[in-house]
Structure formats: C-alpha cells, structure tokens
Amino acid sequence: MLSFLYFISRGGIKSPWSRRKRKRALSGQHWNRLFSSNGKLRDGGKKFLKKVRSGGIEPSIRAEVWPFLLGVYDLNSSKEDRNSIKIKKRKEYEKLRRQCHHIQNCYKGNGLNVINEFINEDFSDGAEGSESPYPEGVSKRACVLPKELKSLCSKVEESESSNWASLECMDEDTSELTYVDPCIGESESSDSESSYEEDPDRTPVSANLEDNCDPKPKFFRSSSTKSEVSISDKTPEDFATWQRIIRVDAIRANTEWALFARNQAEVPEEKALRSATSVGLKDYDHLEPYMIYHAARLVALLEAYALYDPEIGYCQGMSDLLSPIIAVMEEDHEAFWCFVGFMRKARNNFRLDEVGIRRQLKTVSQIIKRKDSHLYRHLQKLQAEDCFFLYRMVVVLFRRELTFEQTVCLWEVMWADQAAIRAGIGRSTWGRIRLHAPPTDDLLLYAIAACVLQRRKLIIEKYSSMDEILRECNSMAGQLDVWKLLDDAHHLVVNLHHKI
C-alpha cells in the first residue's frame, strides 16, 4: 500500500535516483566488463554513463573512472590512446610546474607580466589535441582579461586568531552591483575552513553565518568588463598575489577527505615536509603530516591552473572544488587534468563579470517559479526572487552543504550528464531509464532548486526576510540527503527542462 501511495505521489512514475530504488554503484568488476579486448568502452560508453547516472561509482575505482567523466580520456579511446595521452599530459603538467617555480624564484614582483611570456610558449611540447581553457575564438596569446584587473592593489593581512587573508582594493569604475557575503572574514564554514578575501572585484564564497553576525546581504560596486582585451594591454593580477591566497587557503583546507584516502592520510612526515618545501609552503608547524601533504598538493595544482588559465587565475572557492579530486587522484598530473576538465564548466563561476553566476541564479529562480508559484510569490515579497541567497551553493557546487562522500556522489552524476552531452549521446539512448530523463548541463541547478523546494513550507510560514533564508541556507551543512536531492532534481528535469 505504501509503495502504491509513493507511486501516485510521484505522478505515477518512480525516479531512478530514488534512494529506495537506486541501483548499485558501478563496481570494479562491472567496470572491467564494459571494455572490449582493445581497451575501448563498448557502445561508446552509453552503458557506463547510464550506470553512473543511476548509482554513482564505488570509491575503489574512482581514480580510474573520473578521467573518462571529466574528458581527460575520450569515451571512444583505446588503451593505447590513453597511454599516449597520459604521457603527453604528464609532460604538460610538469612543464607548467617548472614555469611556476621559475616565476616564483626569478620574477618576484613581476607576476603575470611574466606569465604572458609563457603563454606565448607552446607548453604542450608539440602534443596534438592539447585543450585550451579559453572560450572559442580566444587564443592563449590574446587572453581575455576583465577590466577590473587594471587597477588592482592588494594588501595581505593575517589575523592572530585565524590567519585570514584579506585583499583591500579600490576600483575607479562603478557600474554594477556585486553580491558580497555579509560575514566574510568573520566566520567559517563548518564543512570547509578555506579563507575568503574581501575583494570587491571578486565576489567571495559565503561562510556559514554566526548568531552574532549581521545577515543582511551587502553589495559593492564593481566595474564593468570589456571583452577581447589582450593580456599585454592590461596590468593583470600579480601571480604573487594568487600564490599568497592559495597558500592561506591550502593551510586551512578541511580534513574530511582523510577518511576516504587512507594512502594519503598515512603519508610519512618526511614525504609531507619534502612536498611542502617543493612548493614553498610555510606556517604549517601546527598541522599533521597528512594535512601538510594535502596542502602542498593543493598549492602545486592551483598554481599550475592559475598559469594554465590566467583569465581566471585563482579565486577562493576553487580549493573547495580541487580538494575532493586530489583526495581521489594520487598522481598530481592526473588530478590536475581532471580539475581542468571540471573547470571547463565551473570556471564560469569565477569570472569577474559574474555573468555565469547570474545566469545560473536566474535559471534556479525560473525553476522555482514554474514549479511552485506560491513560493516564488513569497520570495518576491521578500525581494529574494533573484535567489542570491543561493550564491554559495552555485559557486562551489554544494561543497559546503554536503559531506565529502555526498559531494562526490552528486558530482559524479553531474559529470555523467555532462559527459553524455559532450559525446552527443541522444535522448533516445535514455529511453529505458524511468522517466526518460535526458542529461542536462544544469543538473546542479535543478538540485539547488530542489533543495529550496524541500524547504518551501518553512520558508513560507516562518521566514519574513531574505536574511532568514540566507541564514537557513548557510546552516544546512550535513542535513541533506544527496540521493533524495537527486531524486527531486531528476523529477524537475523531466517536467521543466524543455521550459527553462
């Protein structure tokens, strides 16, 4: 009887992501059976993606599987192809690291003025098919940089209690409202302890609100942006500034990953100290060896990414996205290229013009409006229909609201959708999946909307200001059921994807 009632409540159809009906995660045995004799995924990876979308991946094989989901390896590649790609990608990463050392040791103070010289080099060592992080039509030699970088000045201050770093900047232009978390520099997320700079040009990711913190959202004016500007035409953000912020964030990274990465959690002290020395990490005497090792890896990979993609460089919040990847991937070069694949879409969250963030918040708003007009009207009364109270969820992809294991489960399903779209796998492929749900690039946004809709009664009946909603969103860490969230997100995709 209960089963029948559930069937009716879901509109007569059960979702494949329902916790009760969810299939088992992709196992190592099943994973090996998906390959043909020459090491190619059978049927172009369709069965593989279906399996991940419906059940996720067993932890023991994530390091093998993630490069396929994140586009490091093509779904149609053979074992020989992948071996060749792995060698080329290792060389590219090693060259980026050499360049980071060169800038750090020989060009202190010149920063990205020197990076322009390296951009003009072919760091791929002639490897064909080397990917560019830049949008189509923008070359590595003429990187698009926002206008805000024109007059950046920074000052790093560390408080005695928390070692928070803050960037103090003034901008000449004033044109566009930028949301800034009300408690930046005053509180920490319970899920991640990364620090966030109060830089008017870069909207920081919000931390959890404390009881004594003013929850009222604040806004700074930030300058407009100008596209198609050569890196040599502007004074870009100093690489040394990125290095300082990266090191502060790395030292304060959360340690939840250690439970899921035993090999790294048991790293010898000698190896940890050697890694720290190699990247110039300091002020880590209070950390355990495994934390030092993790912090050193964060520094190495984030510096390399800042050099690889100088348009984005480093923004706080990126360390939250990288941390789960390096916990799973033990080889730095493999972790780096997985992160590059992840950032192919996520990089838009860190653009100074905030176009990507605003588009995503607008999409979430539209999902809520079409699904629940009553809730949307209540948000309008509170002047919260723009959904800026969800800013942090969008920027760091639920990393602050979910546990480590929940985060990677959500990301794996999201990556499987994105991989299917990249591979051009059509809607008909998913015909046998309940609800006939097509993959979407915006699964995360549907999950965020589902999170709000799950709290509709609370929001409508008890909250009378956007401040209260913001406080609720910033205090839900550890309270979410990721598979129920995916279940509801999937239901929204089925009903609304063609309308959004």
Side-chain angles (χ1 to χ4, degrees):
M1 181 65 179
L2 289 176
S3 177
F4 176 75
L5 290 175
Y6 181 81
F7 184 80
I8 295 298
S9 70
R10 301 296 294 173
I13 308 174
K14 295 179 183 177
S15 165
W17 286 332
S18 167
R19 194 176 186 187
R20 192 168 62 83
K21 287 292 183 181
R22 181 169 64 91
K23 295 181 180 179
R24 292 181 179 179
L26 177 66
S27 66
Q29 186 177 15
H30 191 175
W31 171 243
N32 291 330
R33 290 202 305 265
L34 291 173
F35 290 89
S36 61
S37 58
N38 66 348
K40 283 191 174 184
L41 280 168
R42 303 178 192 277
D43 72 4
K46 295 175 184 177
K47 290 181 180 178
F48 156 56
L49 295 179
K50 283 183 179 181
K51 185 67 176 176
V52 176
R53 290 184 78 210
S54 62
I57 303 168
E58 284 190 355
S60 62
I61 60 170
R62 279 176 172 149
E64 285 185 61
V65 177
W66 282 12
F68 289 85
L69 292 179
L70 291 167
V72 180
Y73 300 141
D74 190 274
L75 293 177
N76 291 306
S77 63
S78 65
K79 186 174 182 180
E80 184 179 354
D81 293 333
R82 294 192 293 274
N83 287 338
S84 177
I85 291 170
K86 187 173 182 178
I87 293 171
K88 291 177 181 178
K89 293 295 185 184
R90 180 194 289 269
K91 289 181 178 179
E92 290 180 24
Y93 173 72
E94 290 173 349
K95 186 164 186 179
L96 282 167
R97 284 303 308 154
R98 289 195 299 271
Q99 292 170 354
C100 288
H101 282 298
H102 188 55
I103 294 171
Q104 181 180 357
N105 296 330
C106 302
Y107 292 88
K108 291 180 179 178
N110 291 330
L112 284 188
N113 292 322
V114 178
I115 289 181
N116 191 39
E117 299 175 16
F118 292 126
I119 289 175
N120 289 330
E121 295 182 20
D122 180 11
F123 68 79
S124 66
D125 288 331
E128 294 182 5
S130 180
E131 297 180 9
S132 168
Y134 310 115
E136 185 177 355
V138 180
S139 70
K140 289 183 290 185
R141 297 174 184 267
C143 172
V144 174
L145 280 178
K147 183 178 177 182
E148 285 90 337
L149 297 182
K150 178 181 179 182
S151 58
L152 179 72
C153 60
S154 65
K155 180 179 179 181
V156 177
E157 299 178 345
E158 298 185 4
S159 68
E160 294 179 357
S161 60
S162 65
N163 289 329
W164 281 72
S166 63
L167 291 178
E168 297 180 356
C169 275
M170 295 185 65
D171 200 306
E172 301 172 342
D173 197 1
T174 58
S175 60
E176 195 171 324
L177 282 176
T178 301
Y179 172 78
V180 176
D181 187 271
C183 301
I184 200 67
E186 298 179 19
S187 60
E188 298 174 11
S189 167
S190 60
D191 189 56
S192 174
E193 295 182 347
S194 297
S195 63
Y196 290 85
E197 319 291 303
E198 188 174 358
D199 182 347
D201 286 337
R202 287 185 184 260
T203 305
V205 182
S206 61
N208 277 349
L209 295 174
E210 302 290 347
D211 292 339
N212 61 351
C213 180
D214 177 12
K216 184 177 181 179
K218 295 179 175 62
F219 296 86
F220 283 99
R221 295 280 179 177
S222 67
S223 60
S224 59
T225 60
K226 186 182 296 182
S227 61
E228 299 184 2
V229 179
S230 170
I231 190 170
S232 61
D233 293 339
K234 296 289 181 181
T235 301
E237 183 174 358
D238 196 348
F239 187 68
T241 300
W242 290 340
Q243 288 179 315
R244 288 194 297 271
I245 304 172
I246 287 171
R247 280 159 175 74
V248 172
D249 284 354
I251 289 293
R252 298 190 59 78
N254 73 78
T255 60
E256 186 186 6
W257 61 270
L259 296 173
F260 304 88
R262 176 164 302 197
N263 290 341
Q264 296 180 53
E266 297 175 352
V267 64
E269 183 176 6
E270 181 181 354
K271 182 177 181 180
L273 296 178
R274 190 166 59 246
S275 297
T277 300
S278 70
V279 297
L281 191 65
K282 299 178 181 179
D283 302 322
Y284 54 76
D285 293 343
H286 61 293
L287 300 181
E288 295 294 325
Y290 74 95
M291 295 169 65
I292 297 172
Y293 181 65
H294 185 75
R297 294 189 70 199
L298 278 173
V299 170
L301 272 69
L302 290 169
E303 280 188 350
Y305 186 81
L307 189 59
Y308 175 80
D309 185 2
E311 181 190 6
I312 300 301
Y314 177 73
C315 299
Q316 289 158 324
M318 287 167 61
S319 59
D320 286 285
L321 304 188
L322 176 58
S323 190
I325 292 178
I326 65 175
V328 169
M329 313 294 294
E330 295 189 20
E331 294 289 337
D332 280 3
H333 68 96
E334 292 180 343
F336 175 77
W337 291 110
C338 281
F339 185 60
V340 168
F342 190 7
M343 287 294 289
R344 185 182 292 111
K345 181 173 174 63
R347 70 190 295 274
N348 291 321
N349 292 0
F350 302 98
R351 296 184 63 91
L352 294 181
D353 57 17
E354 296 187 327
V355 170
I357 291 293
R358 292 175 184 277
R359 182 199 70 79
Q360 292 177 82
L361 291 173
K362 183 177 180 180
T363 299
V364 174
S365 176
Q366 288 299 308
I367 294 171
I368 294 172
K369 181 179 181 179
R370 290 184 177 276
K371 179 61 179 178
D372 193 329
S373 59
H374 185 193
L375 173 60
Y376 184 79
R377 286 194 298 271
H378 182 70
L379 293 177
Q380 282 183 312
K381 291 178 183 177
L382 305 184
Q383 298 183 329
E385 73 275 13
D386 58 9
C387 291
F388 257 57
F389 56 90
L390 301 170
Y391 193 99
R392 187 179 75 182
M393 286 187 191
V394 173
V395 173
V396 290
L397 289 80
F398 263 120
R399 181 66 193 97
R400 299 297 187 89
E401 288 71 37
L402 300 174
T403 65
F404 179 91
E405 182 62 27
Q406 287 177 326
T407 297
V408 295
C409 286
L410 173 64
W411 288 0
E412 284 167 350
V413 176
M414 178 182 71
W415 292 340
D417 266 22
Q418 293 170 359
I421 291 172
R422 286 197 308 272
I425 298 176
R427 181 186 178 94
S428 60
T429 301
W430 316 107
R432 293 187 179 181
I433 291 184
R434 291 187 180 91
L435 292 181
H436 305 270
T440 171
D441 261 334
D442 292 326
L443 179 61
L444 175 82
L445 305 183
Y446 285 95
I448 291 174
C451 180
V452 176
L453 290 165
Q454 287 175 1
R455 286 160 173 74
R456 69 175 305 276
K457 185 176 181 180
L458 182 68
I459 293 172
I460 292 173
E461 294 182 358
K462 293 190 176 182
Y463 294 156
S464 57
S465 71
M466 189 175 78
D467 302 348
E468 293 176 314
I469 303 176
L470 182 62
R471 189 182 296 277
E472 169 70 18
C473 290
N474 284 334
S475 63
M476 62 176 60
Q479 300 177 20
L480 297 172
D481 180 337
V482 69
W483 291 105
K484 177 63 166 64
L485 197 64
L486 281 169
D487 183 17
D488 290 350
H490 186 255
H491 189 66
L492 291 172
V493 171
V494 171
N495 289 281
L496 300 176
H497 76 94
H498 57 288
K499 301 177 182 178
I500 302 299

